[in-house]
Amino acid sequence: ATISLGAFLAVHSLILSPIPDVSILKAISWTLVTATLLSAWGQMDIKDEQQLFKQLYYGLVVIMLVSIPLVVLPLGYLRNGTLNHPQAFGVTMAILGALAGSSLLAQRKPSWGYLGIFGGCLVLILLSEARTAGVALILGLVIGFVVAPLLSGRKIIDILPGLKSRRL
């Protein structure tokens, strides 16, 4: 599927891009990186997967915490009047928000930490004015909510016990 999508993007770039050589190279680069990551991830044992997940999650939390002061005291050139890194920051917070939001739904008693991170991500995405990141976060969680029971063949409440939680 990854190689097919990469081939489609390359052909699409060849036909429609004003600068096809750059677009084709981007499509090839994306395809190679994605295929390599999927291959490497597929060969990890469960312990290594969990360790990598923690490293990625906490790395994103550090980025979030280090970036909070930039909302009040921005450095460099202001892109949207509030942040100096709005689009990249919005996407990063959407990824972190998706991880925290899905963890909230997967736990019977969602942790306050995940709830705080998810809420913080929503606020920071709004402050960054990265609308696409906000839409991607919400749509990603909603699509996962809809697709999970179809793929697993189980009831939604069994897959996402956090839905019963008053804390959530």
Side-chain angles (χ1 to χ4, degrees), residues 102-147:
S102 60
S103 296
L104 284 171
L105 293 171
Q107 298 175 348
R108 281 203 192 287
K109 188 174 181 183
S111 74
W112 287 107
Y114 281 132
L115 192 58
I117 295 295
F118 183 72
C121 286
L122 290 176
V123 169
L124 290 170
I125 289 170
L126 288 172
L127 288 174
S128 72
E129 298 176 12
R131 294 176 300 278
T132 305
V135 169
L137 169 59
I138 300 304
L139 279 179
L141 290 173
V142 169
I143 290 170
F145 180 83
V146 171
V147 171

Side-chain angles (χ1 to χ4, degrees), residues 63-76 78 82-85 89:
I63 290 171
M64 178 180 146
L65 295 175
V66 168
S67 295
I68 288 174
L70 296 176
V71 173
V72 181
L73 303 167
L75 302 172
L78 291 175
T82 55
L83 292 175
N84 62 350
H85 56 310
F89 182 67

Side-chain angles (χ1 to χ4, degrees), residues 15-31:
I15 296 169
L16 296 175
S17 177
I19 309 171
D21 52 345
V22 173
S23 298
I24 291 169
L25 287 173
K26 285 182 183 181
I28 291 170
S29 174
W30 177 87
T31 304

